[in-house]
Amino acid sequence: MTPMSPVERVRHRSLTLLRRLRPRREHAVVRFRGDLTADTVIDTHRVLRAALRDVPAVLVVDLSRVTHLSPDGAMALLLAVRGARAQGTRMEVTGAHARVAATMRQTGLERYLSGHPPAR
């Protein structure tokens, strides 16, 4: 096991304290609609970060009402996946239409999800 850097130690301690202070919810669900593009990246990221703040066991992201996913929008989802993994939360994407799922495959986002391909 490699030693943790001081930053990693502080992050680990703060997450441990957070888990003690807040009971962990089993599931959190976030539903998006419309386009997830460069224009909506900041809002998308804020919503996902807020959902992860409660440290759920599973974060379900419903994309059934998303009409377009750009590479920028996929990046916001990728950052959320990384943040979720860092705190021990599994993130699942559900309901992605064929075009949205194709963008997820092209950008490599699909590889980072919990082992389930986004299906409708």
Side-chain angles (χ1 to χ4, degrees):
M1 183 174 198
T2 60
M4 286 194 258
S5 72
V7 172
E8 291 171 328
R9 263 186 262 128
V10 168
R11 177 183 279 170
H12 177 71
R13 286 180 189 153
S14 64
L15 285 174
T16 302
L17 179 61
L18 181 65
R19 286 182 186 129
R20 286 185 198 148
L21 295 175
R22 290 187 187 165
R24 188 171 179 156
R25 293 185 333 180
E26 285 302 308
H27 285 79
V29 179
V30 175
R31 291 179 177 89
F32 289 107
R33 65 179 178 176
D35 296 343
L36 296 183
T37 62
D39 295 336
T40 61
V41 165
I42 292 172
D43 292 331
T44 302
H45 185 66
R46 280 187 191 143
V47 167
L48 291 169
R49 199 170 58 202
L52 288 170
R53 207 171 286 137
D54 288 336
V55 192
V58 179
L59 173 61
V60 178
V61 179
D62 181 2
L63 298 181
S64 60
R65 295 177 130 189
V66 172
T67 53
H68 176 71
L69 176 68
S70 74
D72 296 319
M75 180 57 73
L77 294 173
L78 177 62
L79 291 173
V81 170
R82 292 178 69 193
R85 282 186 178 176
Q87 69 182 25
T89 298
R90 188 179 76 204
M91 186 169 145
E92 297 177 359
V93 174
T94 63
H97 295 283
R99 285 191 340 209
V100 172
T103 302
M104 291 173 62
R105 275 190 301 280
Q106 291 169 351
T107 58
L109 175 61
E110 194 174 62
R111 285 190 305 245
Y112 292 95
L113 296 171
S114 62
H116 311 301
R120 177 142 215 268

